[in-house]
């Protein structure tokens, strides 16, 4: 008896699901009326913000609708520009011009123009932190000039601009030390931390024969939300060695008159903040496990297995990288950028001295660093 009732119960559920399936469009019509934004570029204007939204919506392939100011990108997406006193008002302007409701949950990239970075970028980023309808943690990148110009790029093979930018800012370039990636939440944490120092990639467009590619090997440095400096490629790699775990990162160094490449398979980082009176010191021990993988010139057989040659190469690589890290630290110190979160460590470990030393700590800070390359066992 119970068995028959169970079968009848499940049949009723199945019947209900079939009725729901064939009688409901599951909001497909609403999806067609929604502007799915994949990337946003924000520039600061005299009277507010200029926001360019890259929209992936089949209905947008035809270009402008209703007098909307749109641009057709190479991948067929629509780049729609809105203005407003606030970012929220600029997004509403996009809505008013297109008739599509801006959907931000798929927005993975926020590009910040030079005009915005010259002031406090959180004048714009605050909206994405507060909004319940924005993506949880979009990738951030600063630009030289107008951020909106990057969305007009023509990637090879007609790839989507937003996807091409996202790949350059993804975890893979981060793991090899080529890019110091940043997303909204960690950048906001650094902004509201004691040191108020954060970073994000500085992305540029490079035009070649096959189309436009993006390069994010330089890093924009921020203090109190304002861009104060830029690290070059060597500085980016040097800081990556301290900040992030590296995997399969290539490091080329000159040894015995020729270029050699080491493949870094793992790095171990130990940072310790010390305070002796009023003399703060950051002590860093960095060990990189690597293998000799290539040389600019062909090597004789005996050189390939020469422990003496490899030992000299590892020693020289450690010395060169140590100099690069010290040079990067000196540059950051000169512009007041807290590269190793020393102020946060002062607050955590030496809080009794925090109020007295926090404003002058970066200028006082000394660096003691040991860098060692070791073979992979």
């Amino acid at each position: 008896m119970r068995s028959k009732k169970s079968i009848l119960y499940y049949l009723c559920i199945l019947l209900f699901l079939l009725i729901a399936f064939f009688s409901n469009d599951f909001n497909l019509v609403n999806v067609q009326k929604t502007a799915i934004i994949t990337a946003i570029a924000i520039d600061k204007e005299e009277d507010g913000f200029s926001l360019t939204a890259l929209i992936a919506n089949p209905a947008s392939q035809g270009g402008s609708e209703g007098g909307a100011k749109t641009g057709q990108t190479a991948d067929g997406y629509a780049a729609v520009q809105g203005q407003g006193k606030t970012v929220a008002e600029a997004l509403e302007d996009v809505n008013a011009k297109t008739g599509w409701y801006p959907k931000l949950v798929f927005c993975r990239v926020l590009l910040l123009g030079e005009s915005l970075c010259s002031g406090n970028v959180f004048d714009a980023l605050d909206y994405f932190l507060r909004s319940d309808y924005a993506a949880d943690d979009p990738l951030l990148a600063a630009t030289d000039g107008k951020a909106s110009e990057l969305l007009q790029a023509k990637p090879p093979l007609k790839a989507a601009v937003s996807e091409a930018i996202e790949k350059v800012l993804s975890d893979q370039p981060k793991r090899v030390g080529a890019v110091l990636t940043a997303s909204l939440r960690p950048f906001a944490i650094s902004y509201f931390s004691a040191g108020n120092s954060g970073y994000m990639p500085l992305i540029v467009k490079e035009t070649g024969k096959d189309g436009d590619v993006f390069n994010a090997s330089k890093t924009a440095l921020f203090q109190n939300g304002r861009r104060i400096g830029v690290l070059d490629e060597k500085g980016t790699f040097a800081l990556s060695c301290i900040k992030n775990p590296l995997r399969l990162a290539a490091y080329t160094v000159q040894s015995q008159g020729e270029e050699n490449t080491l493949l870094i398979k793992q790095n171990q980082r130990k940072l310790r903040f010390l305070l002796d009176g009023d003399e703060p010191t950051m002590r860093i021990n960095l060990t990189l496990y690597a293998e000799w993988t290539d040389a600019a010139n062909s090597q004789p057989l005996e050189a390939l297995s020469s422990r003496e040659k490899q030992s000299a190469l590892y020693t020289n690589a450690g010395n060169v990288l140590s100099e690069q890290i010290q040079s990067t630290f000196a540059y950051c110190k000169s512009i007041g950028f807290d590269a190793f979160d020393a102020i946060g460590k002062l607050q955590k470990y030496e809080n009794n001295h925090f109020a007295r030393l926090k404003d002058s700590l970066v200028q006082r800070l000394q660096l003691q660093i040991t860098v060692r390359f070791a073979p992979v066992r």
Side-chain angles (χ1 to χ4, degrees):
M1 191 70 179
R2 290 182 181 178
S3 174
K4 292 182 178 179
K5 288 183 178 180
S6 298
I7 294 173
L8 182 62
Y9 174 75
Y10 287 114
L11 285 175
C12 290
I13 293 177
L14 180 61
L15 180 62
F16 173 78
L17 292 176
L18 288 172
I19 294 173
F21 181 81
F22 288 109
S23 64
N24 196 331
D25 63 5
F26 291 95
N27 289 323
L28 290 177
V29 174
N30 290 336
V31 168
Q32 292 174 357
K33 296 178 181 179
T34 298
I36 300 176
I37 296 176
T38 60
I40 288 178
I42 308 174
D43 295 293
K44 192 76 171 65
E45 304 289 350
E46 291 183 1
D47 56 347
F49 297 92
S50 174
L51 181 147
T52 303
L54 194 64
I55 298 177
N57 190 313
S60 71
Q61 305 300 315
S64 301
E65 287 188 16
K69 184 179 180 182
T70 66
Q72 197 76 9
T73 63
D75 49 23
Y77 287 24
V80 185
Q81 191 175 84
Q83 283 81 28
K85 300 290 185 182
T86 66
V87 169
E89 187 178 26
L91 279 169
E92 285 299 322
D93 191 34
V94 172
N95 185 8
K97 289 178 176 178
T98 62
W100 304 313
Y101 182 78
K103 194 173 184 65
L104 298 177
V105 293
F106 298 105
C107 179
R108 291 291 302 139
V109 176
L110 295 179
L111 301 176
L112 311 181
E114 187 174 3
S115 57
L116 178 63
C117 294
S118 62
N120 190 342
V121 294
F122 278 89
D123 292 345
L125 295 181
D126 273 355
Y127 169 79
F128 299 95
L129 288 174
R130 293 194 183 101
S131 177
D132 294 331
Y133 303 101
D136 289 337
D137 214 5
L139 298 167
L140 301 179
T143 68
D144 285 329
K146 287 193 172 185
S148 58
E149 294 178 356
L150 266 70
L151 297 185
Q152 297 297 331
K154 300 177 181 178
L157 304 178
K158 294 185 178 181
V161 175
S162 55
E163 291 179 1
I165 295 175
E166 185 178 350
K167 284 190 175 296
V168 172
L169 304 178
S170 68
D171 284 340
Q172 177 57 34
K174 176 182 177 180
R175 285 195 293 267
V176 300
V179 178
L180 275 169
T181 61
S183 53
L184 181 57
R185 290 185 186 276
F187 187 75
I189 291 172
S190 67
Y191 171 74
F192 290 108
S193 68
N196 306 121
S197 295
Y199 58 81
M200 68 177 69
L202 179 65
I203 191 166
V204 297
K205 180 181 70 173
E206 298 178 352
T207 302
K209 294 181 179 179
D210 299 324
D212 299 325
V213 295
F214 299 101
N215 188 330
S217 57
K218 293 184 179 181
T219 304
L221 305 179
F222 288 78
Q223 179 73 29
N224 292 316
R226 183 176 65 88
R227 177 174 153 183
I228 60 172
V230 175
L231 293 179
D232 61 10
E233 292 86 346
K234 291 183 178 180
T236 295
F237 183 81
L239 199 56
S240 293
C241 291
I242 306 298
K243 291 286 187 181
N244 302 319
L246 301 182
R247 296 291 183 272
L248 303 180
Y251 184 64
T252 301
V253 64
Q254 190 174 70
S255 180
Q256 299 180 353
E258 64 181 1
E259 300 293 329
N260 293 269
T261 298
L262 294 168
L263 188 65
I264 302 171
K265 294 193 173 182
Q266 185 180 2
N267 61 325
Q268 291 183 352
R269 303 149 289 149
K270 295 181 180 179
L271 282 73
R272 186 180 179 189
F273 177 77
L274 303 172
L275 184 62
D276 184 8
D278 288 347
E279 295 300 322
T281 301
M282 184 65 70
R283 184 176 294 171
I284 299 176
N285 289 304
L286 176 64
T287 302
L288 304 106
Y289 296 96
E291 65 178 17
W292 179 32
T293 188
D294 199 8
N297 302 313
S298 62
Q299 303 293 306
L301 183 62
E302 58 271 14
L304 297 177
S305 59
S306 172
R307 291 186 178 181
E308 182 179 352
K309 179 178 176 62
Q310 293 189 33
S311 177
L313 174 59
Y314 284 110
T315 300
N316 189 50
N319 293 335
V320 172
L321 182 56
S322 177
E323 291 177 1
Q324 290 178 356
I325 295 174
Q326 292 183 53
S327 176
T328 301
F329 170 76
Y331 171 72
C332 292
K333 182 176 178 179
S334 69
I335 62 175
F337 180 78
D338 188 10
F340 304 123
D341 191 29
I343 298 177
K345 290 178 172 60
L346 173 69
Q347 185 183 42
K348 183 176 181 179
Y349 300 114
E350 301 287 350
N351 192 54
N352 293 337
H353 304 279
F354 178 71
R356 180 169 56 88
L357 295 177
K358 64 175 183 177
D359 294 332
S360 61
L361 184 70
V362 174
Q363 286 71 31
R364 291 171 176 264
L365 189 64
Q366 301 299 313
L367 178 65
Q368 294 179 2
I369 185 166
T370 301
V371 179
R372 183 174 70 94
F373 276 79
V376 178
R377 295 179 181 178

